[in-house]
Amino acid sequence: EISFDLLVKRQIARLEQPGLQCVDLVYEELQRMASQSEPTELTRYPVLKERMMEVVSQLLKRSVGPTHMMVSNLIKVEMSYINTSHPDFIGGSRAVARLMERIHRDDDHDDPHNVD
């Protein structure tokens, strides 16, 4: 099970970079949406419009760092405990037993002398 833990942890660690990239893509999309969703009434007040966009942009920018930390921490949490005792988890010996059972069953079906 130790080798399984190492393999799973490696695979989980590989999810961190795509998760962080996803945060950046969401940030960019929110920036784009904010700039496209400004009310037409604001064109009469250019200073207010500019300030409002500045505040929204700063708010989004401030949220990126904590969101990156949240994704990284989530990956660390998932790597810290691999639940191999869960009933849905098939351990090494049970996986081999199932494989042997399947092979045996397939051999029985292929045997023309077997009258099943």
Side-chain angles (χ1 to χ4, degrees):
E1 279 190 29
I2 293 171
S3 59
F4 175 78
D5 276 0
L6 289 173
L7 288 172
V8 169
K9 285 180 181 181
R10 247 188 251 147
Q11 294 302 314
I12 292 172
R14 291 179 61 193
L15 294 173
E16 185 172 8
Q17 193 57 38
L20 296 174
Q21 288 173 344
C22 184
V23 169
D24 294 335
L25 291 171
V26 168
Y27 166 74
E28 291 170 13
E29 185 62 26
L30 288 172
Q31 287 278 56
R32 203 173 2 268
M33 287 173 62
S35 68
Q36 292 173 356
S37 65
E38 57 193 37
T40 56
E41 293 85 14
L42 281 180
T43 55
R44 293 188 300 181
Y45 309 102
V47 176
L48 177 61
K49 175 183 166 184
E50 185 179 319
R51 181 69 180 128
M52 202 167 106
M53 288 308 300
E54 201 175 291
V55 168
V56 169
S57 181
Q58 287 175 358
L59 175 71
L60 291 173
K61 211 175 278 185
R62 277 197 320 257
S63 300
V64 171
T67 308
H68 275 167
M69 285 293 289
M70 180 72 167
V71 169
S72 294
N73 288 339
L74 181 61
I75 296 298
K76 288 175 187 169
V77 165
E78 292 297 329
M79 285 177 24
S80 69
Y81 180 68
I82 309 298
N83 185 5
T84 56
S85 62
H86 191 277
D88 289 343
F89 176 74
I90 300 175
S93 58
R94 280 189 16 207
V96 170
R98 279 191 182 176
L99 179 63
M100 295 307 288
E101 186 178 297
R102 191 174 298 156
I103 289 171
H104 180 69
R105 191 175 45 230
D106 288 347
D107 285 347
D108 286 348
H109 283 63
D110 292 342
D111 187 5
H113 300 294
N114 187 5
V115 184
D116 243 356

